[in-house]
Amino acid sequence: MKKISIIVPCFNEKENLPYLNQKLQEVFSNQPKEKYSFRIVFVNDGSADDTLLEIKELRKQFSNIDYLSFSRNFGHQQAIKAGIDCVNADAIITMDADLQHPPKLIPELIKNWEKGYEIVNSKRFDSKNQSFMKKLTSKSFYALLNKLSYVKIEPGTADFRLLDKKVIEQLRNLNEQNLFFRGVIPWLGFSQHTIDYYPDERKYGKTKYTAKKMISLAITGITSFSIKPLRISIFVGLFLSVVAIFYMLYALYIGFFTDKAIEGWTSVIVSVLFIGGLQLLMLGILGEYIGKIFIENKKRPNYIIDQIDISNENQ
Ligand code: UDP
Ligand code: MG
């Protein structure tokens, strides 16, 4: 009998949970009972609504539901990590609570796992359901990330995937603060497979990824997989220095050999502003990396679990 756990990070997803649970239970009941035992692990990521109450309510009704609850909002990636850390299973499937990751794809993830793949990723086709902004930001993010990064990350991959026990063990050892699963998974290696799907529309509520969270995830994604931004600052710095030397020569010439030295005020202001802005940008890049070192050095836990209820079977 193989144990499969579905990990669902939830941040203010009260309305979605009963429906998701129903869909998942349907999927489970269509799988051979003698082969698999399924459990759902909800990770309440510091929701401000009654998500935790809803989870507890569902747990009363269904014996195959477990949960963790964070002391505050630690973020989607940490919620997935907590599930991976706390759950004992032969395979883990991570998926969103809002039904954008179709539960009906689960049998296909399992089928590929049975074929021998240790990681089965999913990749969404661009769908009409997605807003133009979401498509645009997602596209440009992956384009930039793949330009800058050493691991190749497929555009459209989401955190809907199956992980074998072997992979779970490796992931438990990764204790970096700013985890970015979409980068870590290709980095891990193992035999991987990707299946495509059309995302559904979010069932209830609005996206929990505000523009701020999205930018912060993008910065994490880039700075934890690449030091190219640092290198870019060196090249830009070098280029500007060369330009500045030529301009200096020109300024000296004007000063010594002509009498129109006061001219050129505009170009002075322009270049001062430009170089000033650029220096701030480069400092920002440096600061981002130094900040990362600072945070990692404190070795704080990635998340704090306030409540946990996981059945013996799953431990
Ligand atoms: N989520 C979370 N913590 C957060 C933000 C999101 O646990 O701080 C969960 C959310 O409840 C959902 C999943 O992560 O199950 C994906 O979030 P969302 O659907 O809002 O992202 P989108 O699909 O818009 O990228
Ligand atoms: Mg969503």
Side-chain angles (χ1 to χ4, degrees), residues 148-284:
L148 291 176
S149 179
Y150 296 103
V151 287
K152 175 109 185 72
I153 300 175
E154 284 256 20
T157 46
D159 290 311
F160 179 30
R161 61 172 74 80
L162 182 147
L163 305 168
D164 181 77
K165 202 177 178 139
K166 256 201 243 172
V167 179
I168 300 167
E169 272 162 29
Q170 294 309 318
L171 282 174
R172 285 199 185 133
N173 294 333
L174 289 183
N175 282 319
E176 52 195 284
Q177 286 281 334
N178 286 302
L179 255 187
F180 181 61
F181 277 97
R182 269 163 268 179
V184 161
I185 295 290
W187 174 86
L188 275 173
F190 291 109
S191 64
Q192 305 203 9
H193 184 68
T194 302
I195 58 178
D196 297 315
Y197 71 97
Y198 283 99
D200 290 328
E201 223 159 322
R202 184 174 243 285
K203 190 84 186 157
Y204 295 104
K206 279 194 298 214
T207 175
K208 305 298 179 295
Y209 268 99
T210 51
K212 196 171 143 218
K213 272 190 185 169
M214 221 139 70
I215 292 170
S216 135
L217 188 72
I219 294 178
T220 298
I222 290 166
T223 52
S224 33
F225 283 92
S226 168
I227 51 165
K228 275 189 199 167
L230 289 175
R231 200 149 300 155
I232 290 171
S233 53
I234 294 176
F235 282 119
V236 176
L238 271 178
F239 171 75
L240 281 179
S241 307
V242 173
V243 173
I245 286 173
F246 279 110
Y247 195 76
M248 201 178 67
L249 291 177
Y250 167 74
L252 287 175
Y253 168 78
I254 295 283
F256 285 119
F257 300 107
T258 70
D259 51 5
K260 32 183 194 174
I262 201 70
E263 250 187 50
W265 178 83
T266 323
S267 53
V268 167
I269 281 297
V270 167
S271 51
V272 163
L273 289 179
F274 178 64
I275 303 226
L278 205 87
Q279 273 175 338
L280 281 181
L281 175 71
M282 299 301 151
L283 275 178

Side-chain angles (χ1 to χ4, degrees), residues 13 96 98-101 134 202 207-209:
E13 302 282 9
D96 288 358
D98 58 356
L99 291 136
Q100 284 189 304
H101 298 159
K134 187 89 194 177
R202 184 174 243 285
T207 175
K208 305 298 179 295
Y209 268 99

Side-chain angles (χ1 to χ4, degrees), residues 72-83:
R72 64 167 171 87
N73 179 249
F74 278 91
H76 179 201
Q77 305 288 298
Q78 304 302 352
I80 297 177
K81 181 69 164 65

